Amino acid sequence: MNNAKQKLAEAEQKAKQLFNTVEGLGLIVPGKSEKELADEVVELAKKHFGTEKFWHKKIVRTGPNTINSYSANPPDLVIQKNDILFLDFGPIFEGWEADLGRTYVLGNDPLKLKLKNDVEAAWHEAKAWYDKQSSLTGASYFTYLNELAGKYGWEFGGEIGGHIVGHFPHEQLAPDDLGLDVHPDNHSDILQKDKDGNDRHWILEIQFVDRVNNIGAFFEQLIN
């Protein structure tokens, strides 16, 4: 494992520990607003890991807000009994970026539980497919993810299906260059190395939505 990959894996493991702490402390409960829960996640990151920086906006979305893509900024909602919700945070640990997304279901609603389980299963299926590729454009992978959503009976809800991470701040291209995103307009090979000959490290993010029932689910983590 190269040094960057190891450091990113270590950062992700800490992010997983952070999410496990949120769950273990029983912080995901009805009656709490999305902002209140987000603030608690931030406080735990500081308390347990000394982390105060996050490289992208802090996201907690519950109920109907779960159908919104990353770029949206829906009004703050309060978590309800039997809600579905997800967390999406990008904490920086010792200068390295993590980007983790997880879905939680309060109660036993079978449709919501299926949506949660399907988005995680699809993530692993999409990783297994990715691992078999010798070349792959961002556009092709995005098409695959949309078809995968349909296979599971859902709609793909994300504007992108992934992006690179690295040492903060990670590699940037021109504002209109989507070469570092899993996006329908990225026709570059996402398996290629960077300009210095180093491997790029990618986050795979999958959001499934059910617009009829106004619910969505999200799963995100390192793919390589």
Side-chain angles (χ1 to χ4, degrees):
M1 182 182 292
N2 64 45
N3 184 62
K5 185 173 183 178
Q6 180 177 344
K7 293 295 186 182
L8 288 167
E10 290 171 355
E12 180 169 280
Q13 186 57 39
K14 290 176 182 176
K16 289 178 179 177
Q17 292 172 18
L18 173 61
F19 278 34
N20 288 342
T21 301
V22 170
E23 191 172 4
L25 291 175
L27 299 182
I28 303 173
V29 293
K32 182 179 295 182
S33 74
E34 295 167 333
K35 184 180 185 306
E36 286 174 323
L37 181 54
D39 289 345
E40 289 175 338
V41 175
V42 170
E43 185 59 31
L44 283 177
K46 180 178 179 181
K47 178 180 178 181
H48 289 272
F49 300 100
T51 295
E52 298 186 60
K53 291 184 178 180
F54 294 76
W55 69 271
H56 70 65
K57 66 182 181 181
K58 308 163 191 73
I59 291 177
V60 176
R61 290 191 179 152
T62 194
N65 277 352
T66 57
I67 69 169
N68 285 279
S69 62
Y70 174 85
S71 66
N73 293 294
D76 191 36
L77 293 182
V78 172
I79 301 169
Q80 304 296 315
K81 182 180 179 182
N82 299 319
D83 244 344
I84 187 169
L85 68 149
F86 66 77
L87 309 183
D88 176 10
F89 283 79
I92 300 169
F93 298 100
E94 298 178 2
W96 292 89
E97 299 167 345
D99 198 5
L100 199 69
R102 291 292 187 270
T103 296
Y104 305 88
V105 174
L106 303 180
N108 298 298
D109 183 288
L111 184 66
K112 292 172 182 173
L113 289 169
K114 182 179 188 301
L115 180 54
K116 173 187 182 296
N117 292 333
D118 280 357
V119 78
E120 181 171 353
W123 189 97
H124 289 285
E125 186 172 340
K127 172 177 168 47
W129 186 83
Y130 169 94
D131 288 341
K132 295 176 182 176
Q133 308 308 308
S134 58
S135 65
L136 179 65
T137 67
S140 295
Y141 203 18
F142 189 83
T143 296
Y144 167 85
L145 295 175
N146 276 264
E147 292 172 348
L148 188 63
K151 172 185 168 181
Y152 278 85
W154 310 103
E155 178 185 341
F156 191 82
E159 296 161 322
I160 65 172
H163 54 80
I164 68 162
V165 284
H167 193 270
F168 179 76
H170 62 252
E171 179 186 4
Q172 302 290 335
L173 301 177
D176 58 346
D177 190 333
L178 298 164
L180 300 180
D181 291 330
V182 177
H183 186 279
D185 292 332
N186 178 13
H187 301 289
S188 299
D189 185 354
I190 63 174
L191 304 183
Q192 67 186 341
K193 298 181 184 295
D194 68 18
K195 60 183 176 58
D196 297 318
N198 299 313
D199 290 333
R200 290 186 170 117
H201 300 285
W202 287 83
I203 293 286
L204 170 63
E205 58 180 77
I206 296 183
Q207 183 180 10
F208 286 173
V209 298
D210 175 349
R211 298 193 188 279
V212 173
N213 293 290
N214 225 23
I215 55 175
F218 185 73
F219 192 93
E220 174 183 42
Q221 61 187 22
L222 273 171
I223 197 172
N224 70 329

